[in-house]
């Protein structure tokens, strides 16, 4: 057996506080509620509705990110667009700015005092206090994770493969579907997972745009402020558990797709 390097032990020792910081609070929260409390919570129709709303709106936002973000990621990876660095900075902006600011910005744009808000209102589209508003917010905060991940995937596809396809007579769209898309599929699934994870956990922007109907994070906050830790912890535990199962399913799906290809 090789003798471990002192540097390895040093780095492991320095890493331990960070690992404990990440695990201890979650473990404490997970094992605090009793089984009776967890069962009572998961049988609560309001809790189930909030959980379903969080997951449903997050998946919807990630699907929109897939449809609209994939072409943008491809353009950023393959083309020297005018103002490309500015576009990339704008895409990363939701990661950097406080998320209550995101909610306020969306409401100011979608309000009746703004032309866009009046136009949406005339079409019967409401943002404040609706699932539509929640999905819009989650798309805003989750899009950077999807685009950046897929952009890296496109950049990993050798351009020579696309050029060879074009040389053999395939068109640009056919080359994308037959060469580029299959080679980037795994990155798209990963981007979808990251976008969904970010969307499910969003609170700051959602609570401003749509306190009602409640998502799970908003309900956790509402139960905490009204009743304290005892009634907010079980919802948090179930949200973690359901999200964990969802992400395992998505990763298994990504693995099966990758094996098929």
């Amino acid at each position: 057996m090789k003798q471990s390097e002192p540097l390895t032990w040093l780095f492991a020792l320095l890493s331990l506080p960070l690992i404990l910081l990440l695990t201890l609070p979650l473990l404490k929260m997970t094992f605090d509620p009793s089984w009776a409390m967890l069962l009572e919570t998961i049988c609560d129709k309001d809790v189930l509705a909030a959980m379903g709303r969080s997951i449903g709106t997050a998946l919807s936002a990630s699907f929109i990110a897939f449809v609209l973000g994939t072409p943008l990621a491809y353009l950023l990876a393959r083309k020297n667009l005018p103002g490309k660095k500015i576009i990339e900075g704008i895409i990363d902006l939701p990661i950097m700015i406080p998320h209550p600011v995101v909610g306020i910005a969306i409401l100011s744009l979608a309000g009746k005092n703004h032309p866009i808000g009046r136009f949406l209102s005339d079409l019967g589209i409401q943002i404040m206090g609706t699932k539509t508003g929640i999905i819009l917010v989650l798309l805003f905060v989750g899009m950077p994770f999807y685009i950046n991940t897929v952009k890296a995937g496109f950049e990993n596809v050798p351009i020579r493969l696309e050029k060879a396809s074009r040389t053999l007579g395939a068109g640009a769209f056919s080359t994308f579907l037959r060469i580029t898309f299959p080679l980037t599929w795994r990155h798209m699934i990963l981007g979808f997972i990251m976008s969904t994870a970010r969307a499910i956990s969003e609170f700051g922007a959602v609570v401003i745009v749509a306190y009602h109907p409640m998502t799970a994070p908003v309900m956790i906050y509402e139960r905490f402020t009204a009743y304290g830790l005892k009634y907010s912890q079980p919802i948090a535990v179930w949200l973690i558990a359901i999200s964990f199962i969802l992400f395992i399913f998505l990763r298994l799906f990504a693995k099966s797709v990758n094996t098929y290809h």
Side-chain angles (χ1 to χ4, degrees), residues 155-167:
E155 289 172 342
N156 288 336
V157 177
I159 297 179
R160 59 182 173 80
L161 295 180
E162 295 178 343
K163 289 182 177 179
S165 175
R166 298 295 299 275
T167 302

Side-chain angles (χ1 to χ4, degrees), residues 17-86:
L18 182 59
I19 294 172
L20 293 176
L21 176 64
L22 293 173
T23 56
L24 287 180
L26 290 176
L27 289 173
K28 178 67 167 59
M29 181 190 68
T30 301
F31 291 106
D32 265 0
S34 64
W35 284 107
M37 180 64 75
L38 289 173
L39 183 61
E40 180 183 347
T41 300
I42 201 61
C43 292
D44 188 327
K45 292 182 179 180
D46 292 334
V47 172
L48 288 175
M51 293 283 186
R53 195 172 296 116
S54 283
I55 294 173
T57 53
L59 290 173
S60 299
S62 295
F63 178 76
I64 296 172
F66 167 74
V67 173
L68 302 181
T70 301
L72 179 55
Y74 180 82
L75 290 175
L76 292 173
R78 284 288 188 260
K79 306 297 180 182
N80 290 320
L81 302 173
K84 180 178 176 179
K85 294 299 181 183
I86 296 176

Side-chain angles (χ1 to χ4, degrees), residues 135-185:
I135 292 172
L136 183 61
V137 167
L138 300 186
L139 177 63
F140 192 104
V141 300
M143 181 72 83
F145 297 91
Y146 180 82
I147 292 178
N148 288 332
T149 304
V150 177
K151 175 174 171 284
F154 284 134
E155 289 172 342
N156 288 336
V157 177
I159 297 179
R160 59 182 173 80
L161 295 180
E162 295 178 343
K163 289 182 177 179
S165 175
R166 298 295 299 275
T167 302
L168 293 173
F173 190 67
S174 178
T175 296
F176 178 82
L177 289 181
R178 295 182 179 183
I179 304 296
T180 313
F181 188 84
L183 291 175
T184 319
W185 182 250

Side-chain angles (χ1 to χ4, degrees), residues 89-110:
I90 292 173
I91 290 171
D92 290 337
L93 200 57
I95 300 175
M96 297 178 286
I97 61 177
H99 287 180
V101 176
V102 173
I104 292 170
I106 289 176
L107 281 186
S108 64
L109 191 67

Side-chain angles (χ1 to χ4, degrees), residues 181-244:
F181 188 84
L183 291 175
T184 319
W185 182 250
R186 194 168 185 174
H187 284 81
M188 293 178 185
I189 295 293
L190 179 59
F192 191 97
I193 292 172
M194 293 178 65
S195 175
T196 303
R198 182 64 194 87
I200 288 178
S201 66
E202 178 55 32
F203 168 77
V206 172
V207 77
I208 290 177
V209 173
Y211 194 96
H212 292 281
M214 283 187 182
T215 60
V218 175
M219 176 168 281
I220 291 170
Y221 171 77
E222 191 266 346
R223 293 283 175 93
F224 173 74
T225 54
Y227 306 108
L229 282 174
K230 182 179 179 181
Y231 290 93
S232 60
Q233 280 181 330
I235 307 175
V237 172
W238 280 114
L239 181 61
I240 292 172
I242 293 172
S243 299
F244 183 66

